[in-house]
Amino acid sequence: MSEEEDIILSELDDEELVQQMFDDLYDGLKEEIEEGVNILLERGWAPYKILTEALVGGMTIVGADFRDGILFVPEVLLAANAMKGGMTILKPLLAETGAPRMGSMVIGTVKGDIHDIGKNLVSMMMEGAGFEVVDIGINNPVENYLEALEEHKPDILGMSALLTTTMPYMKVVIDTMIEQGKRDDYIVLVGGAPLNEEFGKAIGADAYCRDAAVAVETAKEYVARKHNAMNA
Ligand code: B1M
């Protein structure tokens, strides 16, 4: 039996458990991540704390080693899969806050880009805050966004991009909305690791959101403004 198999997660204290979850995420061990999440929930950790400290914290380490050429795509896919296992447990709990309905959002990752963990996290947090979310998935050409906007008529369009090569596609979507006279019908929020506020402004989005918590706050602020303007 290997040393790894001897570790009993429930016997670790919180700090050790989170460290072990970082290792397990790194090794793509989905079942262990799910077990770790359940243990932290039993110990009274808030779902949001588990998400940010154990799961996102672990993924940050994976990201650094991916960047430095220590980890490769297959390993990172396994880590992503393990993270999704943990997120699946937390999703209903984050949505359970009984928050009043705040508004609605269509969200998707742009064409050429298949990263979806951040987008999924934003969707979960938005749902938890009382937004109705329609997630159109990854690799979306402009037509998909426009169809979803037409069909669901949300308050917000959210776009995600994780690659410097795909982030300019957000401008293609916004420019097409402008051409079709639809831009002002929606609040456009953008996010993803390589973006920044300046980029958000330059492409004509309403706001850039650094993380899921900022996305929720920004969405609330803009929807309230929109409703106030409509009632004025
Ligand atoms: Co990719 N990848 N990847 N990858 N990957 C990055 C992004 C990279 C930075 C890694 C690195 O080199 N350090 C790098 C991009 C470099 C660049 O463009 N400058 C990179 C690369 C190069 C690639 C490939 C090209 C690798 C290759 O094939 N050679 C390839 C591209 C595939 C493609 O998309 N066409 C690729 C593939 C993959 C995997 C498939 C293996 C996997 C994705 C699995 C999946 O998503 N299902 C993967 C992963 C996991 C990563 C890293 C390690 C982690 C991303 C992640 O999930 N982070 C990433 C390194 C990194 O970011 N540190 C990397 C956790 C997540 C919670 O954070 O996504 O930033 P994030 O989301 C945050 C905020 O950004 C914000 O809120 C979220 C939650 O707080 N946010 C929004 C995100 N979207 C939002 C939308 C909003 C609002 C806020 O709308 C309102």
Side-chain angles (χ1 to χ4, degrees):
M1 204 188 269
S2 79
E3 217 178 284
E4 291 273 314
E5 284 165 324
D6 287 330
I7 297 169
I8 298 171
L9 295 181
S10 58
E11 289 178 355
L12 303 178
D13 68 27
D14 287 8
E15 201 179 316
E16 289 166 342
L17 177 57
V18 169
Q19 283 306 319
Q20 185 58 42
M21 286 173 74
F22 287 178
D23 288 351
D24 290 343
L25 194 77
Y26 195 94
D27 294 334
L29 302 175
K30 187 176 176 208
E31 279 176 25
E32 282 76 358
I33 288 298
E34 289 167 346
E35 192 187 341
V37 167
N38 282 325
I39 294 171
L40 289 174
L41 283 171
E42 279 161 24
R43 291 184 188 173
W45 276 49
Y48 180 64
K49 185 173 155 84
I50 301 175
L51 195 60
T52 50
E53 293 185 19
L55 300 185
V56 177
M59 194 45 106
T60 306
I61 302 169
V62 172
D65 280 3
F66 187 33
R67 179 196 61 219
D68 297 342
I70 298 165
L71 286 181
F72 297 95
V73 171
E75 289 111 321
V76 178
L77 266 179
L78 280 176
N81 188 43
M83 172 143 181
K84 282 185 184 177
M87 282 165 66
T88 305
I89 299 171
L90 296 174
K91 185 175 175 174
L93 304 173
L94 285 164
E96 226 174 49
T97 52
R101 196 178 174 285
M102 299 293 301
S104 55
M105 175 175 79
V106 160
I107 188 168
T109 303
V110 296
K111 187 175 165 184
D113 201 321
I114 62 167
H115 294 87
D116 67 354
I117 295 176
K119 167 187 66 62
N120 296 348
L121 201 50
V122 172
S123 299
M124 279 165 55
M125 296 281 297
M126 291 285 289
E127 281 175 355
F131 285 86
E132 192 185 308
V133 178
V134 178
D135 183 345
I136 59 170
I138 54 173
N139 194 20
N140 283 290
V142 60
E143 295 78 19
N144 289 10
Y145 287 106
L146 295 176
E147 262 169 41
L149 292 178
E150 196 56 40
E151 185 182 346
H152 302 286
K153 307 215 177 327
D155 299 299
I156 304 167
L157 168 64
M159 288 189 278
S160 180
L162 264 285
L163 299 171
T164 43
T165 49
T166 56
M167 57 191 242
Y169 196 78
M170 293 175 163
K171 184 166 180 334
V172 174
V173 177
I174 294 175
D175 285 350
T176 310
M177 289 168 77
I178 295 172
E179 274 165 30
Q180 299 192 356
K182 292 176 180 164
R183 168 64 186 90
D184 293 338
D185 298 345
Y186 306 97
I187 298 159
V188 179
L189 303 182
V190 294
L195 279 65
N196 56 35
E197 213 163 317
E198 213 179 0
F199 175 80
K201 276 203 193 105
I203 62 168
D206 288 294
Y208 153 73
C209 308
R210 189 182 61 240
D211 58 29
V214 171
V216 168
E217 287 318 308
T218 312
K220 281 184 185 167
E221 190 189 313
Y222 275 86
V223 167
R225 256 194 241 170
K226 182 177 165 185
H227 290 170
N228 287 342
M230 276 162 50
N231 294 335

